[in-house]
Amino acid sequence: NKINIIINCSAKANVAQCETDYKNANLINNLSLNNISKVCRDKDIFLIHFSTDYVFDGTKTRSYLEDDKTNPLNYYGVSKLNGENQIISSGCEYMILRISLIYSELKDNFIKFVINSKEKELMLADDLVSSPTSCDSIVKFIYENLNNNKIFEKQIKNNIFHFTQLG
C-alpha cells in the first residue's frame, strides 16, 4: 500500500538522561531523522514530527514565536534542534510541531505526579515556565487536519508550529 504520512512520535525525552547519554540522545532525536526524512522525500511521504520548546533558552519574557532565534541550553534541546534541521534540509514535505510538557491520563507525567503526590510539600524547580499540553489536544489537532486534508495545504506544509495549551 502507498504510505502517505508518517507521524514520528519517537524521542529520547528524559532531559536528565540526555545530559549523560549523548550517544542515544543524538541517535534517537537527531540521526534517526536523517533516515526517516530521506525515506519520506524519496517515497513522497508527508512527515509529521514532534519537537520541543527546549530548542529555546527560556530568556524571552513573552511567548516564543516560530521564527524566534533558537538557543538550546541542554543536550536534549540541541539534539531535538539538530533533528529539526535534518528534516528541513532533507527536502521532504513536513510539519514540525514544537510541544511543551505533555500530559495525559495514560502515562506518567509531571501533572499526574503533582496531582497524585501524597506529600504535603513538594520540592520543585521554581524557575521554569511552561504551558502544559494535553496529549488529547495534540491527537485531536492531527486527526482534524488529516481528516480535512488540511495537512497538505501550503500554509501547513513545510512549516514549524508551536502547539501548546493556553496559559
Side-chain angles (χ1 to χ4, degrees), residues 43-77:
K43 302 287 186 182
D44 194 26
I45 299 170
F46 189 84
L47 175 61
I48 299 173
H49 174 71
F50 297 104
S51 191
T52 178
D53 57 341
Y54 275 75
V55 299
F56 299 108
D57 59 19
T59 60
K60 189 174 175 185
T61 57
R62 296 177 176 246
S63 297
Y64 280 94
L65 303 175
E66 287 82 354
D67 59 355
D68 281 339
K69 185 178 184 300
T70 55
N71 185 31
L73 295 179
N74 55 36
Y75 196 73
Y76 170 69

Side-chain angles (χ1 to χ4, degrees), residues 58 124-129:
L124 303 171
D126 65 356
D127 62 344
L128 299 175
V129 177

Side-chain angles (χ1 to χ4, degrees), residues 20-47:
T20 59
D21 188 3
Y22 293 147
K23 181 180 176 184
N24 282 316
N26 187 52
L27 182 65
I28 296 166
N29 294 338
N30 175 25
L31 297 179
S32 68
L33 291 166
N34 183 42
N35 296 330
I36 293 169
S37 59
K38 282 182 180 175
V39 167
C40 288
R41 179 196 62 214
D42 294 347
K43 302 287 186 182
D44 194 26
I45 299 170
F46 189 84
L47 175 61

